[in-house]
Short mmCIF file of all heavy atoms in Angstrom, two decimals:
data_model
loop_
_atom_site.label_atom_id
_atom_site.label_comp_id
_atom_site.label_asym_id
_atom_site.label_seq_id
_atom_site.Cartn_x
_atom_site.Cartn_y
_atom_site.Cartn_z
N MET A 1 23.87 -7.10 13.76
CA MET A 1 22.60 -6.57 13.24
C MET A 1 21.85 -7.65 12.45
O MET A 1 20.64 -7.69 12.43
CB MET A 1 22.92 -5.38 12.31
CG MET A 1 21.76 -4.39 12.20
SD MET A 1 21.27 -3.72 13.81
CE MET A 1 19.67 -3.03 13.41
N ARG A 2 22.62 -8.53 11.79
CA ARG A 2 22.01 -9.56 10.97
C ARG A 2 21.23 -10.57 11.83
O ARG A 2 20.19 -11.08 11.41
CB ARG A 2 23.11 -10.29 10.18
CG ARG A 2 22.57 -11.32 9.24
CD ARG A 2 23.65 -11.85 8.34
NE ARG A 2 23.69 -11.15 7.08
CZ ARG A 2 24.42 -11.53 6.04
NH1 ARG A 2 25.22 -12.56 6.13
NH2 ARG A 2 24.40 -10.86 4.92
N ILE A 3 21.75 -10.82 13.04
CA ILE A 3 21.08 -11.78 13.92
C ILE A 3 19.67 -11.31 14.26
O ILE A 3 18.74 -12.10 14.40
CB ILE A 3 21.93 -12.03 15.20
CG1 ILE A 3 21.36 -13.19 16.00
CG2 ILE A 3 22.01 -10.77 16.07
CD1 ILE A 3 21.68 -14.55 15.38
N LEU A 4 19.48 -9.99 14.35
CA LEU A 4 18.16 -9.45 14.66
C LEU A 4 17.18 -9.78 13.53
O LEU A 4 16.01 -10.10 13.76
CB LEU A 4 18.25 -7.94 14.85
CG LEU A 4 18.79 -7.48 16.19
CD1 LEU A 4 18.90 -5.96 16.22
CD2 LEU A 4 17.90 -7.95 17.33
N PHE A 5 17.69 -9.70 12.31
CA PHE A 5 16.86 -10.00 11.16
C PHE A 5 16.36 -11.44 11.21
O PHE A 5 15.17 -11.72 11.05
CB PHE A 5 17.65 -9.75 9.88
CG PHE A 5 16.96 -10.28 8.64
CD1 PHE A 5 15.92 -9.58 8.07
CD2 PHE A 5 17.37 -11.46 8.06
CE1 PHE A 5 15.30 -10.06 6.94
CE2 PHE A 5 16.75 -11.95 6.93
CZ PHE A 5 15.71 -11.25 6.36
N TRP A 6 17.32 -12.37 11.47
CA TRP A 6 16.96 -13.78 11.52
C TRP A 6 16.04 -14.08 12.70
O TRP A 6 15.13 -14.91 12.60
CB TRP A 6 18.22 -14.65 11.59
CG TRP A 6 18.94 -14.65 10.28
CD1 TRP A 6 20.15 -14.10 10.01
CD2 TRP A 6 18.49 -15.23 9.04
NE1 TRP A 6 20.47 -14.28 8.69
CE2 TRP A 6 19.48 -14.97 8.06
CE3 TRP A 6 17.33 -15.91 8.67
CZ2 TRP A 6 19.34 -15.39 6.75
CZ3 TRP A 6 17.21 -16.33 7.34
CH2 TRP A 6 18.21 -16.07 6.40
N LEU A 7 16.29 -13.37 13.81
CA LEU A 7 15.45 -13.57 14.99
C LEU A 7 14.02 -13.13 14.69
O LEU A 7 13.05 -13.82 15.02
CB LEU A 7 16.03 -12.74 16.16
CG LEU A 7 15.85 -13.34 17.55
CD1 LEU A 7 16.63 -14.64 17.66
CD2 LEU A 7 16.33 -12.35 18.61
N GLY A 8 13.89 -11.99 14.04
CA GLY A 8 12.58 -11.48 13.67
C GLY A 8 11.87 -12.42 12.71
O GLY A 8 10.67 -12.68 12.84
N LEU A 9 12.64 -12.93 11.76
CA LEU A 9 12.09 -13.87 10.78
C LEU A 9 11.59 -15.13 11.47
O LEU A 9 10.51 -15.64 11.18
CB LEU A 9 13.18 -14.22 9.76
CG LEU A 9 12.68 -14.81 8.44
CD1 LEU A 9 11.94 -13.75 7.64
CD2 LEU A 9 13.85 -15.34 7.63
N LEU A 10 12.38 -15.62 12.42
CA LEU A 10 12.03 -16.83 13.16
C LEU A 10 10.72 -16.61 13.93
O LEU A 10 9.83 -17.47 13.91
CB LEU A 10 13.16 -17.18 14.13
CG LEU A 10 13.02 -18.54 14.83
CD1 LEU A 10 13.19 -19.66 13.82
CD2 LEU A 10 14.07 -18.67 15.92
N VAL A 11 10.61 -15.46 14.58
CA VAL A 11 9.40 -15.16 15.34
C VAL A 11 8.20 -15.11 14.40
O VAL A 11 7.13 -15.65 14.71
CB VAL A 11 9.56 -13.81 16.08
CG1 VAL A 11 8.22 -13.35 16.65
CG2 VAL A 11 10.59 -13.95 17.19
N LEU A 12 8.38 -14.50 13.23
CA LEU A 12 7.28 -14.41 12.27
C LEU A 12 6.84 -15.79 11.81
O LEU A 12 5.65 -16.08 11.69
CB LEU A 12 7.71 -13.58 11.06
CG LEU A 12 7.69 -12.07 11.25
CD1 LEU A 12 8.20 -11.37 10.00
CD2 LEU A 12 6.28 -11.58 11.56
N VAL A 13 7.83 -16.66 11.56
CA VAL A 13 7.52 -18.02 11.11
C VAL A 13 6.77 -18.77 12.19
O VAL A 13 5.76 -19.43 11.92
CB VAL A 13 8.82 -18.76 10.72
CG1 VAL A 13 8.54 -20.25 10.52
CG2 VAL A 13 9.40 -18.17 9.44
N ILE A 14 7.23 -18.65 13.43
CA ILE A 14 6.57 -19.34 14.54
C ILE A 14 5.14 -18.85 14.68
O ILE A 14 4.20 -19.63 14.83
CB ILE A 14 7.36 -19.12 15.85
CG1 ILE A 14 8.68 -19.89 15.78
CG2 ILE A 14 6.55 -19.56 17.05
CD1 ILE A 14 9.64 -19.56 16.90
N LEU A 15 4.96 -17.52 14.59
CA LEU A 15 3.62 -16.96 14.72
C LEU A 15 2.73 -17.44 13.59
O LEU A 15 1.57 -17.79 13.80
CB LEU A 15 3.69 -15.43 14.71
CG LEU A 15 4.19 -14.79 16.00
CD1 LEU A 15 4.30 -13.29 15.82
CD2 LEU A 15 3.26 -15.11 17.16
N ALA A 16 3.28 -17.50 12.38
CA ALA A 16 2.50 -17.94 11.22
C ALA A 16 2.08 -19.39 11.38
O ALA A 16 0.93 -19.75 11.10
CB ALA A 16 3.32 -17.75 9.95
N VAL A 17 3.00 -20.23 11.83
CA VAL A 17 2.70 -21.66 12.01
C VAL A 17 1.64 -21.85 13.09
O VAL A 17 0.70 -22.62 12.93
CB VAL A 17 3.99 -22.43 12.35
CG1 VAL A 17 3.64 -23.85 12.81
CG2 VAL A 17 4.91 -22.48 11.13
N ARG A 18 1.80 -21.11 14.18
CA ARG A 18 0.83 -21.24 15.28
C ARG A 18 -0.56 -20.80 14.82
O ARG A 18 -1.57 -21.42 15.15
CB ARG A 18 1.28 -20.41 16.48
CG ARG A 18 2.42 -21.07 17.25
CD ARG A 18 2.90 -20.20 18.37
NE ARG A 18 1.89 -19.99 19.40
CZ ARG A 18 2.10 -19.34 20.54
NH1 ARG A 18 3.29 -18.85 20.78
NH2 ARG A 18 1.15 -19.21 21.42
N LYS A 19 -0.60 -19.71 14.06
CA LYS A 19 -1.86 -19.21 13.55
C LYS A 19 -2.51 -20.24 12.64
O LYS A 19 -3.71 -20.47 12.70
CB LYS A 19 -1.60 -17.91 12.77
CG LYS A 19 -2.78 -16.99 12.66
CD LYS A 19 -2.33 -15.68 12.05
CE LYS A 19 -3.48 -14.68 12.00
NZ LYS A 19 -3.03 -13.40 11.42
N LYS A 20 -1.69 -20.86 11.80
CA LYS A 20 -2.18 -21.85 10.85
C LYS A 20 -2.74 -23.06 11.59
O LYS A 20 -3.81 -23.56 11.26
CB LYS A 20 -1.02 -22.28 9.95
CG LYS A 20 -1.45 -22.88 8.64
CD LYS A 20 -0.25 -23.09 7.75
CE LYS A 20 -0.67 -23.67 6.41
NZ LYS A 20 0.48 -23.91 5.55
N ASN A 21 -2.00 -23.52 12.60
CA ASN A 21 -2.44 -24.67 13.38
C ASN A 21 -3.76 -24.39 14.06
O ASN A 21 -4.64 -25.24 14.12
CB ASN A 21 -1.39 -25.04 14.43
CG ASN A 21 -0.20 -25.75 13.77
OD1 ASN A 21 -0.31 -26.23 12.65
ND2 ASN A 21 0.92 -25.80 14.47
N ARG A 22 -3.87 -23.17 14.60
CA ARG A 22 -5.10 -22.80 15.30
C ARG A 22 -6.27 -22.78 14.32
O ARG A 22 -7.36 -23.21 14.64
CB ARG A 22 -4.94 -21.43 15.95
CG ARG A 22 -5.97 -21.19 17.06
CD ARG A 22 -5.89 -19.77 17.56
NE ARG A 22 -4.52 -19.37 17.91
CZ ARG A 22 -4.09 -18.12 17.90
NH1 ARG A 22 -4.89 -17.15 17.54
NH2 ARG A 22 -2.86 -17.83 18.25
N ALA A 23 -6.02 -22.29 13.11
CA ALA A 23 -7.09 -22.20 12.11
C ALA A 23 -7.55 -23.60 11.72
O ALA A 23 -8.73 -23.82 11.47
CB ALA A 23 -6.59 -21.44 10.89
N VAL A 24 -6.61 -24.54 11.65
CA VAL A 24 -6.95 -25.90 11.25
C VAL A 24 -7.74 -26.60 12.35
O VAL A 24 -8.72 -27.28 12.09
CB VAL A 24 -5.66 -26.70 10.93
CG1 VAL A 24 -5.98 -28.19 10.77
CG2 VAL A 24 -5.03 -26.16 9.66
N THR A 25 -7.29 -26.42 13.60
CA THR A 25 -7.95 -27.11 14.71
C THR A 25 -9.29 -26.46 15.05
O THR A 25 -10.18 -27.13 15.55
CB THR A 25 -7.05 -27.12 15.96
OG1 THR A 25 -6.64 -25.78 16.22
CG2 THR A 25 -5.83 -28.00 15.75
N ALA A 26 -9.41 -25.17 14.77
CA ALA A 26 -10.65 -24.49 15.09
C ALA A 26 -11.75 -24.95 14.15
O ALA A 26 -11.50 -25.64 13.17
CB ALA A 26 -10.46 -22.98 14.97
N ASP A 27 -12.97 -24.57 14.47
CA ASP A 27 -14.08 -24.97 13.62
C ASP A 27 -13.92 -24.35 12.23
O ASP A 27 -13.26 -23.35 12.05
CB ASP A 27 -15.41 -24.54 14.26
CG ASP A 27 -15.50 -23.05 14.43
OD1 ASP A 27 -14.43 -22.40 14.51
OD2 ASP A 27 -16.62 -22.52 14.49
N ARG A 28 -14.54 -24.97 11.28
CA ARG A 28 -14.32 -24.56 9.89
C ARG A 28 -15.26 -23.42 9.49
O ARG A 28 -15.85 -23.45 8.43
CB ARG A 28 -14.51 -25.76 8.97
CG ARG A 28 -13.50 -26.86 9.20
CD ARG A 28 -13.13 -27.54 7.92
NE ARG A 28 -11.99 -28.46 8.14
CZ ARG A 28 -10.79 -28.21 7.72
NH1 ARG A 28 -10.52 -27.11 7.07
NH2 ARG A 28 -9.80 -29.07 7.94
N SER A 29 -15.34 -22.43 10.33
CA SER A 29 -16.14 -21.27 9.96
C SER A 29 -15.28 -20.35 9.09
O SER A 29 -14.11 -20.59 8.89
CB SER A 29 -16.60 -20.53 11.21
OG SER A 29 -15.48 -20.14 11.96
N GLU A 30 -15.87 -19.31 8.62
CA GLU A 30 -15.18 -18.36 7.75
C GLU A 30 -13.96 -17.79 8.47
O GLU A 30 -14.05 -17.37 9.61
CB GLU A 30 -16.14 -17.22 7.39
CG GLU A 30 -15.67 -16.38 6.24
CD GLU A 30 -15.97 -17.03 4.88
OE1 GLU A 30 -16.42 -18.18 4.83
OE2 GLU A 30 -15.74 -16.38 3.88
N PRO A 31 -12.79 -17.79 7.82
CA PRO A 31 -11.60 -17.23 8.46
C PRO A 31 -11.80 -15.74 8.77
O PRO A 31 -12.43 -15.02 7.99
CB PRO A 31 -10.50 -17.40 7.40
CG PRO A 31 -11.04 -18.36 6.41
CD PRO A 31 -12.53 -18.30 6.49
N ALA A 32 -11.25 -15.32 9.89
CA ALA A 32 -11.41 -13.92 10.30
C ALA A 32 -10.75 -12.98 9.31
O ALA A 32 -11.19 -11.85 9.12
CB ALA A 32 -10.82 -13.71 11.69
N SER A 33 -9.68 -13.45 8.65
CA SER A 33 -8.96 -12.57 7.73
C SER A 33 -9.84 -12.16 6.56
O SER A 33 -9.72 -11.06 6.05
CB SER A 33 -7.70 -13.26 7.23
OG SER A 33 -8.04 -14.47 6.59
N ALA A 34 -10.71 -13.07 6.13
CA ALA A 34 -11.57 -12.74 4.99
C ALA A 34 -12.50 -11.60 5.33
O ALA A 34 -12.74 -10.71 4.52
CB ALA A 34 -12.37 -13.97 4.58
N ALA A 35 -13.02 -11.62 6.57
CA ALA A 35 -13.92 -10.55 6.98
C ALA A 35 -13.17 -9.24 7.13
O ALA A 35 -13.68 -8.17 6.82
CB ALA A 35 -14.60 -10.92 8.28
N ALA A 36 -11.92 -9.33 7.60
CA ALA A 36 -11.14 -8.12 7.81
C ALA A 36 -10.78 -7.46 6.48
O ALA A 36 -10.65 -6.25 6.40
CB ALA A 36 -9.88 -8.44 8.59
N GLU A 37 -10.58 -8.29 5.44
CA GLU A 37 -10.18 -7.75 4.15
C GLU A 37 -11.35 -7.15 3.38
O GLU A 37 -11.16 -6.35 2.49
CB GLU A 37 -9.54 -8.85 3.30
CG GLU A 37 -8.12 -9.17 3.75
CD GLU A 37 -7.61 -10.46 3.10
OE1 GLU A 37 -8.19 -10.89 2.10
OE2 GLU A 37 -6.65 -11.03 3.64
N ALA A 38 -12.57 -7.57 3.74
CA ALA A 38 -13.73 -7.04 3.03
C ALA A 38 -13.88 -5.56 3.33
O ALA A 38 -13.76 -5.14 4.48
CB ALA A 38 -14.98 -7.78 3.46
N PRO A 39 -14.12 -4.74 2.31
CA PRO A 39 -14.27 -3.31 2.55
C PRO A 39 -15.53 -3.01 3.33
O PRO A 39 -16.53 -3.73 3.21
CB PRO A 39 -14.35 -2.72 1.15
CG PRO A 39 -14.80 -3.85 0.27
CD PRO A 39 -14.27 -5.11 0.91
N ALA A 40 -15.48 -1.98 4.13
CA ALA A 40 -16.64 -1.59 4.91
C ALA A 40 -17.75 -1.18 3.97
O ALA A 40 -17.51 -0.54 2.95
CB ALA A 40 -16.28 -0.43 5.84
N VAL A 41 -18.95 -1.56 4.30
CA VAL A 41 -20.08 -1.23 3.43
C VAL A 41 -20.38 0.25 3.58
O VAL A 41 -20.64 0.73 4.67
CB VAL A 41 -21.31 -2.07 3.81
CG1 VAL A 41 -22.50 -1.65 2.96
CG2 VAL A 41 -21.01 -3.55 3.60
N GLU A 42 -20.30 0.94 2.46
CA GLU A 42 -20.58 2.37 2.48
C GLU A 42 -21.34 2.72 1.21
O GLU A 42 -21.05 2.17 0.15
CB GLU A 42 -19.28 3.17 2.54
CG GLU A 42 -19.50 4.65 2.75
CD GLU A 42 -18.19 5.39 2.88
OE1 GLU A 42 -17.13 4.76 2.81
OE2 GLU A 42 -18.25 6.62 3.03
N SER A 43 -22.29 3.60 1.33
CA SER A 43 -23.07 3.95 0.14
C SER A 43 -22.19 4.69 -0.86
O SER A 43 -21.35 5.50 -0.49
CB SER A 43 -24.26 4.82 0.55
OG SER A 43 -23.80 5.99 1.17
N MET A 44 -22.37 4.36 -2.12
CA MET A 44 -21.59 4.96 -3.18
C MET A 44 -22.43 6.03 -3.87
O MET A 44 -23.64 5.89 -4.03
CB MET A 44 -21.17 3.89 -4.20
CG MET A 44 -20.35 2.77 -3.61
SD MET A 44 -18.70 3.29 -3.13
CE MET A 44 -17.88 3.28 -4.72
N VAL A 45 -21.77 7.10 -4.28
CA VAL A 45 -22.45 8.14 -5.05
C VAL A 45 -21.75 8.27 -6.39
O VAL A 45 -20.62 7.81 -6.57
CB VAL A 45 -22.46 9.49 -4.31
CG1 VAL A 45 -23.28 9.40 -3.04
CG2 VAL A 45 -21.05 9.95 -4.03
N CYS A 46 -22.41 8.91 -7.32
CA CYS A 46 -21.91 9.04 -8.68
C CYS A 46 -21.62 10.52 -8.94
O CYS A 46 -22.48 11.37 -8.70
CB CYS A 46 -22.99 8.52 -9.63
SG CYS A 46 -22.46 8.42 -11.32
N CYS A 47 -20.43 10.82 -9.43
CA CYS A 47 -20.09 12.20 -9.76
C CYS A 47 -21.00 12.68 -10.89
O CYS A 47 -21.14 12.00 -11.91
CB CYS A 47 -18.63 12.29 -10.18
SG CYS A 47 -18.15 13.94 -10.76
N ALA A 48 -21.62 13.85 -10.71
CA ALA A 48 -22.56 14.36 -11.71
C ALA A 48 -21.83 14.82 -12.97
O ALA A 48 -22.45 15.04 -14.01
CB ALA A 48 -23.37 15.51 -11.12
N HIS A 49 -20.51 14.97 -12.91
CA HIS A 49 -19.76 15.44 -14.08
C HIS A 49 -19.14 14.28 -14.86
O HIS A 49 -19.37 14.12 -16.04
CB HIS A 49 -18.67 16.41 -13.64
CG HIS A 49 -17.87 16.94 -14.80
ND1 HIS A 49 -18.37 17.86 -15.68
CD2 HIS A 49 -16.61 16.65 -15.22
CE1 HIS A 49 -17.46 18.12 -16.61
NE2 HIS A 49 -16.38 17.41 -16.35
N CYS A 50 -18.33 13.45 -14.18
CA CYS A 50 -17.63 12.38 -14.90
C CYS A 50 -18.23 11.00 -14.63
O CYS A 50 -17.76 10.01 -15.17
CB CYS A 50 -16.15 12.38 -14.52
SG CYS A 50 -15.83 11.97 -12.80
N LEU A 51 -19.28 10.96 -13.81
CA LEU A 51 -20.00 9.71 -13.54
C LEU A 51 -19.17 8.67 -12.79
O LEU A 51 -19.50 7.50 -12.75
CB LEU A 51 -20.55 9.10 -14.83
CG LEU A 51 -21.43 10.02 -15.67
CD1 LEU A 51 -21.93 9.30 -16.92
CD2 LEU A 51 -22.60 10.54 -14.86
N MET A 52 -18.04 9.09 -12.22
CA MET A 52 -17.23 8.17 -11.44
C MET A 52 -17.94 7.87 -10.12
O MET A 52 -18.52 8.76 -9.51
CB MET A 52 -15.85 8.77 -11.16
CG MET A 52 -14.90 7.81 -10.49
SD MET A 52 -13.28 8.55 -10.25
CE MET A 52 -13.58 9.46 -8.72
N HIS A 53 -17.88 6.63 -9.70
CA HIS A 53 -18.48 6.25 -8.42
C HIS A 53 -17.45 6.39 -7.32
O HIS A 53 -16.28 6.03 -7.50
CB HIS A 53 -19.00 4.82 -8.48
CG HIS A 53 -20.25 4.70 -9.29
ND1 HIS A 53 -20.24 4.66 -10.65
CD2 HIS A 53 -21.56 4.65 -8.91
CE1 HIS A 53 -21.50 4.57 -11.09
NE2 HIS A 53 -22.31 4.56 -10.05
N LEU A 54 -17.87 6.90 -6.20
CA LEU A 54 -16.97 7.06 -5.07
C LEU A 54 -17.77 6.99 -3.77
O LEU A 54 -18.99 7.18 -3.79
CB LEU A 54 -16.21 8.40 -5.16
CG LEU A 54 -17.01 9.69 -5.03
CD1 LEU A 54 -16.09 10.81 -4.60
CD2 LEU A 54 -17.65 10.07 -6.36
N PRO A 55 -17.10 6.68 -2.67
CA PRO A 55 -17.81 6.61 -1.38
C PRO A 55 -18.46 7.95 -1.05
O PRO A 55 -17.89 9.00 -1.32
CB PRO A 55 -16.71 6.27 -0.38
CG PRO A 55 -15.62 5.67 -1.21
CD PRO A 55 -15.69 6.33 -2.54
N ALA A 56 -19.63 7.87 -0.47
CA ALA A 56 -20.39 9.08 -0.15
C ALA A 56 -19.61 10.02 0.77
O ALA A 56 -19.71 11.24 0.66
CB ALA A 56 -21.72 8.70 0.50
N SER A 57 -18.78 9.45 1.63
CA SER A 57 -18.03 10.27 2.58
C SER A 57 -16.92 11.07 1.90
O SER A 57 -16.43 12.05 2.43
CB SER A 57 -17.43 9.39 3.68
OG SER A 57 -16.52 8.47 3.11
N GLU A 58 -16.50 10.64 0.69
CA GLU A 58 -15.42 11.34 -0.02
C GLU A 58 -15.94 12.28 -1.09
O GLU A 58 -15.16 12.98 -1.73
CB GLU A 58 -14.47 10.32 -0.67
CG GLU A 58 -13.70 9.50 0.35
CD GLU A 58 -12.85 8.43 -0.33
OE1 GLU A 58 -12.53 8.58 -1.52
OE2 GLU A 58 -12.51 7.45 0.35
N ALA A 59 -17.25 12.29 -1.28
CA ALA A 59 -17.82 13.12 -2.33
C ALA A 59 -17.88 14.58 -1.91
O ALA A 59 -17.91 14.91 -0.73
CB ALA A 59 -19.22 12.61 -2.68
N VAL A 60 -17.89 15.46 -2.92
CA VAL A 60 -18.08 16.89 -2.69
C VAL A 60 -19.51 17.20 -3.09
O VAL A 60 -19.94 16.83 -4.18
CB VAL A 60 -17.10 17.71 -3.56
CG1 VAL A 60 -17.37 19.20 -3.40
CG2 VAL A 60 -15.66 17.36 -3.19
N TYR A 61 -20.25 17.86 -2.22
CA TYR A 61 -21.66 18.10 -2.48
C TYR A 61 -21.91 19.56 -2.82
O TYR A 61 -21.41 20.47 -2.15
CB TYR A 61 -22.51 17.70 -1.27
CG TYR A 61 -22.51 16.20 -1.04
CD1 TYR A 61 -21.62 15.63 -0.14
CD2 TYR A 61 -23.38 15.39 -1.74
CE1 TYR A 61 -21.60 14.26 0.05
CE2 TYR A 61 -23.37 14.02 -1.56
CZ TYR A 61 -22.48 13.46 -0.66
OH TYR A 61 -22.47 12.11 -0.47
N ARG A 62 -22.65 19.75 -3.90
CA ARG A 62 -23.12 21.09 -4.28
C ARG A 62 -24.63 20.95 -4.46
O ARG A 62 -25.06 20.37 -5.46
CB ARG A 62 -22.47 21.57 -5.57
CG ARG A 62 -21.00 21.85 -5.46
CD ARG A 62 -20.70 23.10 -4.63
NE ARG A 62 -19.33 23.08 -4.12
CZ ARG A 62 -18.27 23.52 -4.80
NH1 ARG A 62 -18.39 24.01 -5.98
NH2 ARG A 62 -17.06 23.47 -4.25
N GLY A 63 -25.38 21.45 -3.50
CA GLY A 63 -26.83 21.30 -3.57
C GLY A 63 -27.19 19.83 -3.47
O GLY A 63 -26.73 19.13 -2.56
N GLN A 64 -27.96 19.36 -4.43
CA GLN A 64 -28.39 17.96 -4.44
C GLN A 64 -27.38 17.06 -5.13
O GLN A 64 -27.47 15.85 -5.02
CB GLN A 64 -29.75 17.85 -5.17
CG GLN A 64 -30.89 18.55 -4.45
CD GLN A 64 -31.30 17.84 -3.17
OE1 GLN A 64 -31.45 16.63 -3.15
NE2 GLN A 64 -31.46 18.58 -2.09
N GLN A 65 -26.43 17.65 -5.84
CA GLN A 65 -25.50 16.86 -6.65
C GLN A 65 -24.24 16.50 -5.87
O GLN A 65 -23.77 17.28 -5.04
CB GLN A 65 -25.10 17.63 -7.92
CG GLN A 65 -26.26 17.97 -8.84
CD GLN A 65 -26.82 16.74 -9.55
OE1 GLN A 65 -26.27 15.65 -9.47
NE2 GLN A 65 -27.93 16.93 -10.25
N ALA A 66 -23.72 15.35 -6.18
CA ALA A 66 -22.46 14.90 -5.60
C ALA A 66 -21.39 14.89 -6.70
O ALA A 66 -21.69 14.58 -7.86
CB ALA A 66 -22.62 13.51 -5.02
N TYR A 67 -20.17 15.28 -6.33
CA TYR A 67 -19.08 15.30 -7.29
C TYR A 67 -17.87 14.59 -6.71
O TYR A 67 -17.72 14.49 -5.48
CB TYR A 67 -18.70 16.75 -7.65
CG TYR A 67 -19.84 17.51 -8.29
CD1 TYR A 67 -20.72 18.24 -7.50
CD2 TYR A 67 -20.03 17.48 -9.66
CE1 TYR A 67 -21.78 18.92 -8.08
CE2 TYR A 67 -21.08 18.16 -10.25
CZ TYR A 67 -21.96 18.89 -9.45
OH TYR A 67 -23.00 19.57 -10.02
N CYS A 68 -16.97 14.16 -7.59
CA CYS A 68 -15.80 13.42 -7.13
C CYS A 68 -14.74 14.35 -6.57
O CYS A 68 -13.88 13.93 -5.81
CB CYS A 68 -15.22 12.57 -8.28
SG CYS A 68 -14.54 13.57 -9.62
N SER A 69 -14.78 15.62 -6.97
CA SER A 69 -13.75 16.54 -6.51
C SER A 69 -14.29 17.97 -6.59
O SER A 69 -15.30 18.24 -7.23
CB SER A 69 -12.50 16.42 -7.39
OG SER A 69 -12.83 16.76 -8.73
N ASN A 70 -13.57 18.88 -5.96
CA ASN A 70 -13.95 20.29 -6.01
C ASN A 70 -13.88 20.81 -7.45
O ASN A 70 -14.67 21.66 -7.86
CB ASN A 70 -13.03 21.14 -5.13
CG ASN A 70 -13.49 21.11 -3.68
OD1 ASN A 70 -14.67 21.23 -3.39
ND2 ASN A 70 -12.55 20.93 -2.76
N ALA A 71 -12.90 20.31 -8.21
CA ALA A 71 -12.73 20.74 -9.59
C ALA A 71 -13.99 20.46 -10.39
O ALA A 71 -14.46 21.32 -11.16
CB ALA A 71 -11.53 20.05 -10.20
N HIS A 72 -14.52 19.26 -10.24
CA HIS A 72 -15.73 18.92 -10.99
C HIS A 72 -16.95 19.64 -10.45
O HIS A 72 -17.84 20.00 -11.21
CB HIS A 72 -15.93 17.40 -10.97
CG HIS A 72 -15.04 16.69 -11.95
ND1 HIS A 72 -15.01 15.33 -12.08
CD2 HIS A 72 -14.12 17.20 -12.81
CE1 HIS A 72 -14.10 15.02 -13.02
NE2 HIS A 72 -13.56 16.13 -13.46
N ALA A 73 -16.98 19.89 -9.17
CA ALA A 73 -18.10 20.62 -8.59
C ALA A 73 -18.13 22.05 -9.13
O ALA A 73 -19.18 22.60 -9.40
CB ALA A 73 -18.00 20.62 -7.07
N ASP A 74 -16.93 22.63 -9.30
CA ASP A 74 -16.85 24.01 -9.77
C ASP A 74 -17.23 24.15 -11.25
O ASP A 74 -17.53 25.25 -11.71
CB ASP A 74 -15.41 24.53 -9.58
CG ASP A 74 -15.10 24.72 -8.10
OD1 ASP A 74 -16.05 24.79 -7.29
OD2 ASP A 74 -13.90 24.80 -7.76
N LEU A 75 -17.22 23.06 -11.99
CA LEU A 75 -17.59 23.11 -13.40
C LEU A 75 -19.09 23.23 -13.60
O LEU A 75 -19.55 23.48 -14.70
CB LEU A 75 -17.08 21.86 -14.12
CG LEU A 75 -15.54 21.76 -14.28
CD1 LEU A 75 -15.17 20.39 -14.81
CD2 LEU A 75 -15.05 22.85 -15.21
N HIS A 76 -19.84 23.06 -12.53
CA HIS A 76 -21.31 23.11 -12.67
C HIS A 76 -21.89 24.32 -11.97
O HIS A 76 -21.27 24.87 -11.09
CB HIS A 76 -21.93 21.83 -12.09
CG HIS A 76 -21.70 20.65 -13.02
ND1 HIS A 76 -22.65 20.11 -13.82
CD2 HIS A 76 -20.57 19.93 -13.24
CE1 HIS A 76 -22.14 19.11 -14.50
NE2 HIS A 76 -20.89 18.97 -14.18
ZN1 ZN B 101 -15.99 13.84 -11.42
#
């Protein structure tokens, strides 16, 4: 079972080295990983009760107001 661990580790190292070499030889544009790590741009809304900011897709809406949770929405 231990040999599988070392084999997996070896494959990971080889992949990492190959990726690194490719990044060095490739043009010096922005690394793809940086773009992948950046959060998707989404409009933020502010909870009308606690003023916490959260993504619009996760907000709870009551009329015109946005809230961070049902609990806060129910308080109004
Ligand atoms: Zn809130």
Side-chain angles (χ1 to χ4, degrees):
M1 206 58 196
R2 183 171 265 189
I3 190 76
L4 282 177
F5 169 78
W6 288 112
L7 213 64
L9 199 69
L10 188 68
V11 169
L12 280 177
V13 168
I14 290 170
L15 284 176
V17 168
R18 284 176 65 175
K19 203 172 184 180
K20 202 172 181 181
N21 284 343
R22 199 187 309 154
V24 169
T25 53
D27 62 335
R28 296 215 171 253
S29 58
E30 195 81 353
S33 59
E37 284 168 18
V41 176
E42 188 177 0
S43 60
M44 301 290 281
V45 294
C46 187
C47 175
H49 181 73
C50 66
L51 305 180
M52 187 178 83
H53 286 80
L54 66 158
S57 62
E58 293 176 22
V60 176
Y61 292 95
R62 292 289 159 86
Q64 294 289 315
Q65 299 289 353
Y67 299 91
C68 66
S69 61
N70 277 316
H72 282 178
D74 290 341
L75 290 171
H76 286 256

